[in-house]
mmCIF file of all heavy atoms in Angstrom:
data_model
loop_
_atom_site.group_PDB
_atom_site.id
_atom_site.type_symbol
_atom_site.label_atom_id
_atom_site.label_comp_id
_atom_site.label_asym_id
_atom_site.label_seq_id
_atom_site.Cartn_x
_atom_site.Cartn_y
_atom_site.Cartn_z
ATOM 1 N N PRO A 36 11.957 51.127 8.202
ATOM 2 C CA PRO A 36 11.315 52.435 8.124
ATOM 3 C C PRO A 36 10.260 52.544 9.177
ATOM 4 O O PRO A 36 9.707 51.554 9.652
ATOM 5 C CB PRO A 36 10.680 52.383 6.721
ATOM 6 C CG PRO A 36 11.323 51.310 5.949
ATOM 7 C CD PRO A 36 11.816 50.329 6.966
ATOM 8 N N TYR A 37 10.000 53.817 9.570
ATOM 9 C CA TYR A 37 9.001 54.052 10.625
ATOM 10 C C TYR A 37 7.698 53.392 10.341
ATOM 11 O O TYR A 37 6.989 52.820 11.230
ATOM 12 C CB TYR A 37 8.871 55.597 10.756
ATOM 13 C CG TYR A 37 7.954 55.958 11.893
ATOM 14 C CD1 TYR A 37 8.438 56.172 13.201
ATOM 15 C CD2 TYR A 37 6.548 56.168 11.670
ATOM 16 C CE1 TYR A 37 7.569 56.483 14.214
ATOM 17 C CE2 TYR A 37 5.717 56.517 12.742
ATOM 18 C CZ TYR A 37 6.239 56.655 13.971
ATOM 19 O OH TYR A 37 5.418 57.024 15.024
ATOM 20 N N GLU A 38 7.250 53.459 9.101
ATOM 21 C CA GLU A 38 5.954 52.889 8.743
ATOM 22 C C GLU A 38 5.882 51.383 8.983
ATOM 23 O O GLU A 38 4.856 50.839 9.393
ATOM 24 C CB GLU A 38 5.608 53.214 7.256
ATOM 25 C CG GLU A 38 5.384 54.648 6.952
ATOM 26 C CD GLU A 38 6.677 55.444 6.848
ATOM 27 O OE1 GLU A 38 7.809 54.848 6.714
ATOM 28 O OE2 GLU A 38 6.633 56.679 6.990
ATOM 29 N N ASP A 39 6.966 50.670 8.704
ATOM 30 C CA ASP A 39 7.056 49.263 8.964
ATOM 31 C C ASP A 39 7.022 48.998 10.467
ATOM 32 O O ASP A 39 6.308 48.023 10.912
ATOM 33 C CB ASP A 39 8.317 48.652 8.352
ATOM 34 C CG ASP A 39 8.300 48.618 6.827
ATOM 35 O OD1 ASP A 39 7.266 48.968 6.249
ATOM 36 O OD2 ASP A 39 9.339 48.265 6.260
ATOM 37 N N LEU A 40 7.731 49.768 11.260
ATOM 38 C CA LEU A 40 7.691 49.611 12.683
ATOM 39 C C LEU A 40 6.272 49.854 13.232
ATOM 40 O O LEU A 40 5.808 49.127 14.088
ATOM 41 C CB LEU A 40 8.652 50.575 13.378
ATOM 42 C CG LEU A 40 10.137 50.244 13.185
ATOM 43 C CD1 LEU A 40 11.036 51.424 13.673
ATOM 44 C CD2 LEU A 40 10.459 48.985 13.949
ATOM 45 N N ALA A 41 5.581 50.903 12.682
ATOM 46 C CA ALA A 41 4.216 51.195 13.125
ATOM 47 C C ALA A 41 3.276 50.037 12.742
ATOM 48 O O ALA A 41 2.421 49.679 13.570
ATOM 49 C CB ALA A 41 3.786 52.513 12.491
ATOM 50 N N ALA A 42 3.504 49.453 11.616
ATOM 51 C CA ALA A 42 2.639 48.334 11.200
ATOM 52 C C ALA A 42 2.885 47.121 12.091
ATOM 53 O O ALA A 42 1.917 46.459 12.536
ATOM 54 C CB ALA A 42 2.917 47.966 9.726
ATOM 55 N N LEU A 43 4.129 46.810 12.423
ATOM 56 C CA LEU A 43 4.464 45.718 13.336
ATOM 57 C C LEU A 43 3.869 45.967 14.719
ATOM 58 O O LEU A 43 3.365 45.070 15.375
ATOM 59 C CB LEU A 43 5.998 45.498 13.422
ATOM 60 C CG LEU A 43 6.636 44.897 12.168
ATOM 61 C CD1 LEU A 43 8.114 44.941 12.267
ATOM 62 C CD2 LEU A 43 6.136 43.478 11.992
ATOM 63 N N LEU A 44 3.961 47.232 15.204
ATOM 64 C CA LEU A 44 3.368 47.567 16.489
ATOM 65 C C LEU A 44 1.878 47.340 16.439
ATOM 66 O O LEU A 44 1.291 46.763 17.389
ATOM 67 C CB LEU A 44 3.717 49.033 16.842
ATOM 68 C CG LEU A 44 3.035 49.507 18.157
ATOM 69 C CD1 LEU A 44 3.564 48.683 19.354
ATOM 70 C CD2 LEU A 44 3.364 50.961 18.375
ATOM 71 N N GLY A 45 1.212 47.783 15.352
ATOM 72 C CA GLY A 45 -0.218 47.589 15.256
ATOM 73 C C GLY A 45 -0.607 46.130 15.292
ATOM 74 O O GLY A 45 -1.565 45.727 15.932
ATOM 75 N N LEU A 46 0.165 45.236 14.546
ATOM 76 C CA LEU A 46 -0.120 43.860 14.566
ATOM 77 C C LEU A 46 0.082 43.275 15.980
ATOM 78 O O LEU A 46 -0.719 42.450 16.430
ATOM 79 C CB LEU A 46 0.808 43.175 13.594
ATOM 80 C CG LEU A 46 0.453 43.341 12.108
ATOM 81 C CD1 LEU A 46 1.587 42.789 11.238
ATOM 82 C CD2 LEU A 46 -0.879 42.746 11.743
ATOM 83 N N ASN A 47 1.142 43.688 16.643
ATOM 84 C CA ASN A 47 1.432 43.192 17.988
ATOM 85 C C ASN A 47 0.310 43.562 18.956
ATOM 86 O O ASN A 47 -0.183 42.743 19.701
ATOM 87 C CB ASN A 47 2.756 43.773 18.455
ATOM 88 C CG ASN A 47 3.115 43.345 19.879
ATOM 89 O OD1 ASN A 47 2.406 43.598 20.794
ATOM 90 N ND2 ASN A 47 4.279 42.738 19.998
ATOM 91 N N VAL A 48 -0.151 44.827 18.870
ATOM 92 C CA VAL A 48 -1.170 45.303 19.796
ATOM 93 C C VAL A 48 -2.494 44.548 19.495
ATOM 94 O O VAL A 48 -3.202 44.156 20.462
ATOM 95 C CB VAL A 48 -1.329 46.845 19.655
ATOM 96 C CG1 VAL A 48 -2.600 47.339 20.375
ATOM 97 C CG2 VAL A 48 -0.120 47.534 20.203
ATOM 98 N N LEU A 49 -2.845 44.381 18.245
ATOM 99 C CA LEU A 49 -4.064 43.620 17.857
ATOM 100 C C LEU A 49 -3.945 42.202 18.416
ATOM 101 O O LEU A 49 -4.922 41.706 19.082
ATOM 102 C CB LEU A 49 -4.225 43.639 16.359
ATOM 103 C CG LEU A 49 -5.378 42.782 15.863
ATOM 104 C CD1 LEU A 49 -6.750 43.409 16.282
ATOM 105 C CD2 LEU A 49 -5.317 42.651 14.379
ATOM 106 N N LEU A 50 -2.844 41.534 18.192
ATOM 107 C CA LEU A 50 -2.686 40.144 18.658
ATOM 108 C C LEU A 50 -2.752 40.064 20.210
ATOM 109 O O LEU A 50 -3.437 39.185 20.746
ATOM 110 C CB LEU A 50 -1.331 39.651 18.165
ATOM 111 C CG LEU A 50 -1.026 38.189 18.397
ATOM 112 C CD1 LEU A 50 -2.016 37.258 17.653
ATOM 113 C CD2 LEU A 50 0.396 37.909 17.911
ATOM 114 N N HIS A 51 -2.107 40.993 20.857
ATOM 115 C CA HIS A 51 -2.092 41.022 22.311
ATOM 116 C C HIS A 51 -3.514 41.246 22.827
ATOM 117 O O HIS A 51 -3.959 40.592 23.797
ATOM 118 C CB HIS A 51 -1.123 42.041 22.817
ATOM 119 C CG HIS A 51 -0.847 41.908 24.291
ATOM 120 N ND1 HIS A 51 -0.538 42.995 25.093
ATOM 121 C CD2 HIS A 51 -0.869 40.859 25.153
ATOM 122 C CE1 HIS A 51 -0.351 42.630 26.297
ATOM 123 N NE2 HIS A 51 -0.542 41.340 26.352
ATOM 124 N N GLY A 52 -4.206 42.203 22.260
ATOM 125 C CA GLY A 52 -5.604 42.466 22.687
ATOM 126 C C GLY A 52 -6.508 41.242 22.491
ATOM 127 O O GLY A 52 -7.324 40.930 23.366
ATOM 128 N N GLU A 53 -6.374 40.573 21.377
ATOM 129 C CA GLU A 53 -7.195 39.361 21.146
ATOM 130 C C GLU A 53 -6.830 38.284 22.117
ATOM 131 O O GLU A 53 -7.701 37.561 22.582
ATOM 132 C CB GLU A 53 -6.973 38.876 19.678
ATOM 133 C CG GLU A 53 -7.496 39.806 18.656
ATOM 134 C CD GLU A 53 -8.974 39.981 18.647
ATOM 135 O OE1 GLU A 53 -9.699 38.940 18.622
ATOM 136 O OE2 GLU A 53 -9.498 41.125 18.685
ATOM 137 N N LEU A 54 -5.568 38.151 22.455
ATOM 138 C CA LEU A 54 -5.134 37.168 23.476
ATOM 139 C C LEU A 54 -5.744 37.471 24.837
ATOM 140 O O LEU A 54 -6.311 36.580 25.468
ATOM 141 C CB LEU A 54 -3.607 37.099 23.569
ATOM 142 C CG LEU A 54 -3.046 36.185 24.616
ATOM 143 C CD1 LEU A 54 -3.337 34.705 24.284
ATOM 144 C CD2 LEU A 54 -1.561 36.389 24.777
#
Side-chain angles (χ1 to χ4, degrees):
Y37 184 88
E38 294 77 18
D39 290 354
L40 289 169
L43 288 170
L44 177 62
L46 288 171
N47 179 300
V48 169
L49 175 68
L50 187 62
H51 192 209
E53 294 293 308
L54 176 67

